[in-house]
């Protein structure tokens, strides 16, 4: 019971639980799961980077939940044929959190930064496999993710809902416009990568606007940009690029729509 | 009930004029046997795609017609007539393979192996006819030309109704629901590649079948249109997609990829029914995945193979299939590996080992990575066209199954030594495991498998015991 209460204190505990079970599922059932070495390398890279930045920036915190979530997201999404790029992506991801900042907030979601910078800097070695999820895994994952929303009452969980609603709207709108059967947008929604993105990346409270209306605008814009990249420019990693681009507007949105800064409930105690 | 009846009637009355090769259009009646699967080769690098479609049309040549959505207008010089032998070659080269090993005499540690590869390639023949019509129903004939035995039109349209009507007028019989799919493609700014057989030209070619069509184009769209093909298909269709890339494995981004089971040891009678075995196993895998995945059968650097199911595909043929990036001057050829010749054990004569293994050429690799994907699909399980991406994954994968022949001793009592006892005891377990593995892979009855094994030299009962004398006895007796 004590354990449950401890978990409940911070939304990130649920996130770690959900992502880890997803990873275990993939390790057991998928033909293209990351190897244990990849998992260990990525995890240690993010933890060590966080530790070093804490040390050099003299931050007294001992909070290592963020590198955990980041490395889990990375091993689930990021693919490369050069093994050292896995920990490198982890280092880049965590470093971006400490180095690219504005107004007490980091600009990019770490895992997203790791993926997009990898895609941009070494396009011939990095890819994302959005298709690698079985239907059963997807359903379980979706349920767990929604459970997080309800249980954690996380202040910024609305982002996932805002984004998913916008994305659903766009996909169904497209199907209607094309006269396609609805099985196509429904099929498109059944993507594990989309869920990780919605529940663990775009909903990162530190990189999204403080104001609720700002977040709604933010989520909708990400969806629109992703839609254009995906369907007009045929970019397969559209959602990740879209978030990366729109994250740069957060400081502006925060300046216009002023609101209080988010605090992780179990943070820095 | 009445509704069902109408539906059946409708299907049976649909003429099969507009017939598909490569499953883009209308399924063949018996498309569920995948040795008649449609074959498509796609070579892709940057935004350049070369698509080669094997023509498996089996009806009368004059009835042959296809409609394929393409991302851009295709000019005459972008169309080529391919060589079906090259497609068959890459098919047999990448096909799932059976490997054969012979156990050596357990009393002499000599390693023997022999290899046998089987493929499930299948030749094909085909037909059709064509008339042009300038009639316009909002349909624009962007290009019109004849290449080889094909009359080709590239169409663009504003409305699907017009295109649907025009195609019908021109004698293309479209399945019900085609107008909706056409409309979707039109709105996505796709063009239509329409081909019919030109009988006069066909006679000139001297061939008895229609040769593959090849198109080269530049587009960011890297996808395989399958939607039209599912419309009046009577059941699931099979498609073999071969991709050639510079970087690595190709994978669908909107469907899951699963690997076909590989590396298992199976009973030796499978040598005579490898096709049946693979078909049964594939069926079972498809069922397990609810027909929702793309099966990976082969992913390998084209420079070498081990074991090779066929001779390597020459560079000039890879180029003909669209691997334009291969250097002009590149002459590297995979080198056959010669296995060291072993002395025959125990005086028994063994066939000379002929392992078909090719090592990478000395001058560097050929820089072509081949992926073989096998898809079984229906409109329900694959509602959307298959969107593809090239990854940089160069990990090798092949569907490979192993047969191990037990050692055949020259005398009746089997090999006689201490090791032999253990060998024969292990053999019993191995046979049992092989039977179970085969049953698990194919869903076949395990008792039937055992019976077949019994008849095929893998007896469970009549195994010699070998000698189980303690080691000291052998020592004093010698």
């Amino acid at each position: 019971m004590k354990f449950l209460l401890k978990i409940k204190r911070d939304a990130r505990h649920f996130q770690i639980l959900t992502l880890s079970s997803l990873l275990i599922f993939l390790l057991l059932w998928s033909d293209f799961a990351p190897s244990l070495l990849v998992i260990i390398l990525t995890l240690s890279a993010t933890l060590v980077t966080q530790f070093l930045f804490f040390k050099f920036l003299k931050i007294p915190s001992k909070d290592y939940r963020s590198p955990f979530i980041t490395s889990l997201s990375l091993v689930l999404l990021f693919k490369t044929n050069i093994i050292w790029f896995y920990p490198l992506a982890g280092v880049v991801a965590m470093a971006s959190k400490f180095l690219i900042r504005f107004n007490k907030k980091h600009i990019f979601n770490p895992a997203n930064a790791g993926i997009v910078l990898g895609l941009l800097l070494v396009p011939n070695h990095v890819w994302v496999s959005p298709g690698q999820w079985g239907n059963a895994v997807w359903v379980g994952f979706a349920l767990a993710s929604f459970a997080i929303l309800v249980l954690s009452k996380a202040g910024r969980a609305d982002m996932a809902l805002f984004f998913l609603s916008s994305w659903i709207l766009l996909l169904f709108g497209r199907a209607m416009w094309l006269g396609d059967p609805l099985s196509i947008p429904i099929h498109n929604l059944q993507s594990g990568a989309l869920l990780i993105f919605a529940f663990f990346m775009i909903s990162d409270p530190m990189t999204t606007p403080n104001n609720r209306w700002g977040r709604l605008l933010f989520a909708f814009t990400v969806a629109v940009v992703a839609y254009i990249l995906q369907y007009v420019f045929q970019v397969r990693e559209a959602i990740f690029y879209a978030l990366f681009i729109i994250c740069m507007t957060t400081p502006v949105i925060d300046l216009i729509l002023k609101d209080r800064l988010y605090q992780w409930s179990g943070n820095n105690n | 009930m009445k509704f069902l009846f109408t539906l059946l009637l409708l299907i049976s009355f649909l003429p099969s004029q507009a017939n598909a090769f490569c499953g883009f259009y209308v399924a063949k009646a018996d498309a569920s046997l995948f040795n008649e699967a449609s074959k498509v080769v796609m070579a892709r690098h940057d935004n350049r795609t070369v698509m080669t479609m094997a023509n498996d049309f089996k009806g009368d040549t004059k009835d042959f017609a296809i409609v394929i959505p393409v991302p851009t207008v295709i000019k005459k010089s972008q169309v080529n007539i391919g060589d079906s032998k090259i497609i068959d070659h890459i098919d047999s080269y990448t096909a799932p393979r059976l490997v054969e090993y012979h156990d050596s005499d357990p009393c002499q540690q000599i390693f023997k192996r022999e290899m046998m590869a089987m493929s499930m390639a299948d030749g094909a023949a085909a037909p059709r006819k064509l008339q042009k019509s300038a009639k316009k129903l909002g349909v624009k004939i962007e290009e019109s030309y004849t290449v080889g035995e094909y009359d080709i039109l590239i169409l663009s349209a504003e409305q699907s109704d017009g295109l649907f009507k025009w195609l019908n007028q021109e004698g293309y019989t479209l399945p019900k629901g085609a107008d909706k799919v056409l409309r979707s493609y039109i709105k996505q700014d796709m063009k239509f590649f329409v081909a019919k057989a030109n009988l006069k030209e066909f006679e000139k070619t001297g061939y008895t079948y229609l040769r593959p069509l090849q198109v080269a184009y530049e587009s960011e769209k890297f996808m395989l249109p399958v939607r039209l093909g599912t419309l009046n298909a009577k059941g699931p269709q099979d498609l073999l997609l071969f991709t050639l890339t510079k970087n690595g494995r190709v994978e669908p981004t909107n469907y899951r990829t699963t690997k076909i089971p590989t590396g298992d040891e199976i009973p030796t009678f499978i040598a005579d029914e490898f096709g049946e075995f693979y078909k049964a196993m594939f069926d079972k895998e498809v069922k397990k995945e609810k027909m929702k995945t793309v099966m990976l059968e082969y992913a390998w650097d084209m420079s070498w193979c081990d074991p090779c199911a066929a001779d390597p595909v020459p560079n000039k043929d890879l180029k003909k299939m669209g691997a334009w990036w291969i250097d002009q001057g590149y002459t590297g050829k995979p080198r056959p590996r010669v296995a060291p010749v072993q002395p025959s054990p125990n005086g028994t004569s063994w066939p000379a080992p002929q392992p078909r293994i090719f090592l990478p050429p000395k001058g560097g690799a050929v820089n072509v990575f081949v992926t073989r994907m096998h898809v079984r699909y229906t409109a329900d399980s694959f509602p959307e066209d298959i969107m593809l991406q090239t990854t940089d994954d160069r990990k090798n994968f092949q569907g490979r199954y192993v047969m191990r022949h037990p050692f055949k001793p020259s005398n009746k009592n089997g090999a006689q030594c201490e090791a032999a006892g253990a060998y024969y005891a292990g053999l019993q377990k191995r046979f049992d495991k092989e039977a179970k593995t085969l049953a698990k892979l194919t869903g076949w009855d395990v008792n039937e498998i055992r019976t077949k094994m019994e008849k095929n030299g893998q007896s469970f009962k009549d195994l010699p015991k070998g000698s189980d004398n303690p080691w000291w006895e052998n020592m004093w007796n010698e």
Side-chain angles (χ1 to χ4, degrees):
Chain A
M1 208 51 211
K2 225 176 181 183
F3 175 70
L4 279 179
L5 281 174
K6 208 172 171 188
I7 287 178
K8 225 177 142 184
R9 214 171 58 202
D10 193 311
R12 286 174 297 178
H13 295 151
F14 283 107
Q15 297 194 344
I16 292 172
L17 264 181
T18 316
L19 287 176
S20 317
S21 17
L22 188 62
L23 182 60
I24 290 166
F25 253 112
L26 284 193
L27 287 173
L28 292 176
W29 306 114
S30 170
D31 288 337
F32 296 92
S35 69
L36 278 177
L37 179 67
V38 162
I39 297 169
I40 292 165
L41 281 176
T42 316
L43 192 62
S44 8
T46 52
L47 289 172
V48 169
T49 313
Q50 177 100 339
F51 169 78
L52 290 178
F53 272 103
F54 277 167
K55 203 170 170 195
F56 288 116
L57 299 175
K58 301 204 167 69
I59 301 169
S61 170
K62 283 199 179 86
D63 191 339
Y64 287 93
R65 284 168 287 202
S66 154
F68 238 99
I69 295 171
T70 302
S71 52
L72 283 169
S73 304
L74 277 178
V75 293
L76 286 169
L77 293 168
F78 183 87
K79 307 257 176 207
T80 169
N81 58 343
I82 296 172
I83 189 118
W84 291 109
F85 283 179
Y86 285 104
L88 201 63
V91 173
V92 169
M94 295 320 292
S96 80
K97 197 176 91 168
F98 291 95
L99 297 178
I100 312 172
R101 301 181 70 89
F102 184 82
N103 208 5
K104 292 183 187 161
K105 284 165 75 172
H106 48 274
I107 305 282
F108 301 112
N109 166 269
N112 184 245
I115 290 171
V116 172
L117 290 172
L119 287 168
L120 289 174
L121 297 176
V122 275
N124 274 336
H125 297 288
V126 171
W127 71 98
V128 174
S129 292
Q132 282 319 313
W133 316 79
N135 203 272
V137 176
W138 184 84
V139 172
F141 183 37
L143 287 176
S145 306
F146 278 106
I148 293 181
L149 282 195
V150 179
L151 287 170
S152 67
K153 296 177 198 138
R156 298 298 157 84
D158 51 1
M159 278 307 286
L161 292 183
F162 286 160
F163 170 76
L164 282 177
S165 326
S166 315
W167 191 241
I168 288 169
L169 208 69
L170 288 168
L171 289 188
F172 277 80
R174 176 182 153 87
M176 296 226 285
W177 170 61
L178 294 174
D180 280 346
L182 293 183
S183 54
I184 291 183
I186 290 169
H187 173 77
N188 285 327
L189 287 172
Q190 290 171 12
S191 151
L194 182 71
L195 291 186
I196 296 186
F197 178 80
F199 289 101
F200 304 94
M201 282 191 178
I202 194 171
S203 43
D204 180 347
M206 290 303 158
T207 60
T208 48
N210 295 332
N211 180 278
R212 181 164 284 228
W213 291 107
R215 290 200 294 277
L216 182 61
L217 177 71
F218 181 98
F220 184 69
T221 322
V222 170
V224 170
V225 172
Y227 179 91
I228 294 169
L229 286 176
Q230 180 156 330
Y231 291 107
V232 180
F233 294 97
Q234 299 285 319
V235 177
R236 300 289 191 255
E237 304 88 0
I239 44 176
F240 303 105
Y241 282 114
L243 177 61
F244 192 80
I245 297 166
I246 303 306
C247 270
M248 294 189 243
T249 67
T250 304
V252 184
I253 300 177
D254 276 344
L255 277 180
I256 299 167
L257 298 165
K258 288 198 169 44
D259 216 316
R260 68 185 175 83
L261 191 69
Y262 185 81
Q263 289 292 330
W264 289 110
S265 46
N267 208 14
N268 299 337
N269 292 333
Chain B
M1 202 54 215
K2 199 179 165 195
F3 167 73
L4 190 73
F5 183 66
T6 333
L7 199 76
L8 287 172
L9 205 68
L10 210 134
I11 292 168
S12 55
F13 273 53
L14 277 175
S16 62
Q17 250 184 10
N19 244 301
F21 53 42
C22 63
F24 288 159
Y25 214 159
V26 188
K28 300 186 302 285
D30 54 351
S32 57
L33 288 167
F34 62 70
N35 56 359
E36 294 181 37
S38 311
K39 292 177 209 165
V40 181
V41 185
M42 283 177 113
R44 167 97 177 173
H45 188 66
D46 294 338
N47 64 351
R48 299 180 183 178
T49 305
V50 180
M51 183 154 77
T52 309
M53 295 156 286
N55 195 330
D56 56 357
F57 184 74
K58 298 260 192 311
D60 193 346
T61 313
K62 70 175 173 21
D63 293 333
F64 171 78
I66 50 156
V67 180
I68 305 167
V70 284
T72 60
V73 170
I74 310 274
K75 300 219 180 297
K76 186 176 180 179
S77 57
Q78 288 170 265
V79 181
N80 185 47
I81 303 297
D83 183 349
S84 59
K85 280 195 194 106
I86 303 180
I87 300 180
D88 292 342
H89 190 178
I90 194 147
D91 180 12
S92 46
Y93 180 80
T94 56
R97 59 217 57 206
L98 184 60
V99 194
E100 203 174 20
Y101 292 91
H102 289 276
D103 284 351
S104 55
D105 183 342
C107 303
Q108 295 182 27
Q109 291 301 310
I110 293 170
F111 172 73
K112 273 270 164 192
R113 79 171 176 173
E114 175 194 345
M115 227 152 289
M116 186 168 89
M118 292 199 187
S119 71
M120 311 209 292
D122 174 52
R128 85 187 151 110
K129 73 176 178 190
L130 173 123
Q131 311 144 2
K132 272 178 226 158
S133 162
K135 203 165 189 178
K136 284 178 193 175
L137 284 155
V139 178
K140 193 175 166 203
I141 302 179
E142 302 269 0
E143 299 282 337
S144 160
Y145 43 80
T146 302
V147 177
E149 60 267 44
Y150 296 101
D151 286 332
I152 293 159
L153 295 172
I154 307 293
L155 305 176
S156 66
E158 261 122 57
Q159 287 176 3
S160 62
D161 309 4
L163 182 66
F164 191 72
K165 262 188 206 160
W166 186 84
L167 286 168
N168 266 325
Q169 273 176 17
E170 291 300 308
Y172 295 87
T173 315
L174 301 185
K176 210 177 163 224
D179 51 336
K180 273 193 174 171
V181 182
L182 290 178
R183 180 172 67 187
S184 178
Y185 283 129
I186 291 167
K187 288 196 171 164
Q188 291 174 64
D189 204 24
M190 300 281 274
K191 312 289 181 246
F192 299 91
F193 181 99
V194 182
K196 281 187 176 184
N198 180 320
L199 289 179
K200 243 179 161 179
E201 294 295 326
F202 179 59
E203 272 167 31
K204 275 194 222 163
T205 64
Y207 284 96
T208 52
Y209 58 89
L210 287 162
R211 291 172 294 169
L213 262 171
Q214 291 192 292
V215 285
Y217 54 85
E218 284 186 7
S219 168
E220 293 305 327
K221 277 188 186 150
F222 184 24
M223 49 99 90
L224 193 70
V226 292
R227 287 180 63 191
L228 278 172
T230 56
L231 283 178
N232 70 351
K234 286 179 185 137
Q237 304 180 66
D238 273 53
L239 172 84
L240 282 173
L241 173 63
F242 308 89
T243 59
L244 304 175
T245 59
K246 201 171 169 179
N247 293 16
R249 186 173 57 83
V250 167
E251 66 178 20
T253 54
N254 55 344
Y255 294 100
R256 195 152 69 97
T257 309
T258 47
K259 289 176 180 167
I260 202 80
T262 186
D264 292 299
E265 280 187 21
I266 51 178
T268 53
F269 74 85
I270 290 301
D272 298 328
E273 41 190 280
F274 184 57
E276 296 304 312
F277 155 73
Y278 192 75
K279 233 181 263 178
M281 188 182 74
F282 191 83
D283 286 351
K284 195 156 180 263
E285 281 300 299
V286 167
K287 219 172 169 185
K288 192 178 102 194
E289 302 292 350
K290 301 194 174 71
M291 215 189 279
K292 282 175 187 285
T293 67
V294 171
M295 300 278 176
L296 183 69
E297 288 184 333
Y298 193 80
W300 212 282
D301 188 320
M302 271 313 257
S303 312
W304 63 289
C305 43
D306 174 16
C308 306
D311 282 337
V313 182
N315 291 348
K316 65 169 184 11
D317 288 351
L318 291 176
K319 209 162 190 177
K320 275 187 192 160
M321 275 185 292
W324 52 267
W325 58 89
I326 295 181
D327 284 343
Q328 292 284 359
Y330 182 82
T331 52
K333 273 188 194 150
R335 298 164 291 145
R337 196 184 84 177
V338 183
V341 178
Q342 307 280 6
S344 14
N346 252 1
T348 5
S349 68
W350 290 79
Q354 293 281 324
R356 283 225 280 192
I357 298 173
F358 283 84
L359 303 170
K362 277 194 172 133
V366 64
N367 236 358
V368 178
F369 195 92
V370 63
T371 312
R372 174 191 173 110
M373 286 165 274
H374 189 161
V375 199
R376 181 166 298 165
Y377 62 99
T378 60
D380 284 344
S381 64
F382 278 70
E384 195 182 22
D385 287 332
I386 302 175
M387 311 306 280
L388 299 162
Q389 79 174 354
T390 309
T391 74
D392 305 288
D393 181 7
R394 292 185 80 90
K395 272 194 210 101
N396 295 324
F397 175 79
Q398 61 183 350
R400 173 177 164 274
Y401 310 93
V402 181
M403 278 186 329
R404 280 172 65 189
H405 293 280
F407 170 71
K408 278 192 198 127
S410 46
N411 63 337
K412 237 185 165 182
N413 300 327
Q416 297 291 326
C417 64
E418 191 193 348
Y423 172 75
Y424 288 123
L427 217 48
Q428 189 87 16
K429 274 188 201 149
R430 192 173 94 194
F431 291 170
D432 192 53
K433 198 176 163 211
E434 286 176 4
K436 281 180 184 150
T437 306
L438 185 62
K440 196 177 148 219
L441 287 176
T442 56
W444 291 345
D445 181 62
V446 75
N447 292 321
E448 273 172 38
I449 292 172
R450 286 209 177 95
T451 317
K452 277 189 175 174
M453 287 173 77
E454 201 76 47
K455 283 182 197 156
N456 216 296
Q458 285 189 296
S459 170
F460 287 87
K461 299 168 206 150
D462 302 333
L463 278 177
K465 289 232 163 52
S467 146
D468 46 5
N469 295 343
W471 59 273
W472 53 85
E473 278 187 23
N474 285 345
M475 185 171 71
W476 307 136
N477 292 344
E478 291 234 339

